[in-house]
C-alpha cells in the first residue's frame, strides 16, 4: 500500500450532495467532480421522440475523485459507499488506485505533504 491513494467513484447525480457531506464528515473535504455518462449493470431505457423509438444505454453519472494521504482510504471508501447507496442497479462503483507521487505547484511540496 502506498502513502497516497486515489479513490474514484461513479455515482448517481442526485447522491452528490450526500457524498460531499459524508466525505467532509470523514475528514476528506477535498474532491474533484466531473459529469460523465456510461453504462454498467443498470438496465437501458427505451423512449420515443417524434415517433421514433430509441434506446438510452448511457446513463448520466458523476465521477468523484479524492486523493487520500492523511486519513485511512477505507474511511473515504466507506463514506462514499454509505452515502451513495440506494440498493438499486446503477448505484455506481468505487475504485482505489495507488498514486506514485504528488506535487503542489504553488509550493513545490512533494508526496503526502502536497496532498
Amino acid at each position: 500500500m502506498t502513502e497516497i491513494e486515489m479513490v474514484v467513484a461513479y455515482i448517481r447525480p442526485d447522491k452528490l450532495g450526500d457524498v460531499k457531506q459524508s466525505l467532509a464528515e470523514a475528514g476528506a473535504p477535498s474532491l474533484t467532480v466531473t459529469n460523465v455518462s456510461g453504462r454498467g449493470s443498470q438496465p437501458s431505457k427505451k423512449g420515443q421522440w417524434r415517433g421514433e423509438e430509441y434506446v438510452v444505454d448511457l446513463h448520466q453519472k458523476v465521477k468523484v475523485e479524492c486523493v487520500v494521504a492523511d486519513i485511512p482510504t477505507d474511511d473515504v471508501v466507506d463514506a462514499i459507499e454509505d452515502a451513495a447507496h440506494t440498493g438499486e442497479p446503477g448505484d455506481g462503483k468505487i475504485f482505489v488506485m495507488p498514486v506514485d507521487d504528488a506535487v503542489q505547484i504553488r509550493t513545490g511540496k512533494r508526496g503526502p505533504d502536497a496532498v
Side-chain angles (χ1 to χ4, degrees):
M1 182 179 192
T2 63
E3 286 186 77
I4 308 170
E5 292 182 303
M6 178 178 281
V7 178
V8 178
Y10 297 90
I11 63 169
R12 297 173 182 272
D14 60 311
K15 300 303 281 181
L16 179 59
D18 295 339
V19 168
K20 284 176 18 183
Q21 180 177 348
S22 185
L23 285 170
E25 290 170 1
S30 300
L31 60 119
T32 302
V33 176
T34 310
N35 290 314
V36 297
S37 38
R39 87 176 147 209
S41 61
Q42 188 175 1
S44 59
K45 297 178 183 176
K46 291 185 180 180
Q48 256 189 341
W49 188 71
R50 293 189 177 182
E52 295 289 321
E53 192 172 281
Y54 65 95
V55 176
V56 177
D57 62 350
L58 293 178
H59 301 281
Q60 298 302 306
K61 298 290 177 192
V62 172
K63 179 181 178 183
V64 178
E65 297 170 298
C66 301
V67 178
V68 181
D70 54 350
I71 66 169
T73 302
D74 287 343
D75 291 355
V76 173
V77 171
D78 291 344
I80 296 170
E81 184 179 13
D82 292 344
H85 180 265
T86 69
E88 299 293 323
D91 274 356
K93 301 250 184 328
I94 303 171
F95 301 96
V96 179
M97 295 161 273
V99 173
D100 291 335
D101 199 4
V103 178
Q104 186 178 45
I105 296 170
R106 179 178 56 85
T107 64
K109 290 181 182 177
R110 295 188 77 104
D113 292 336
V115 178

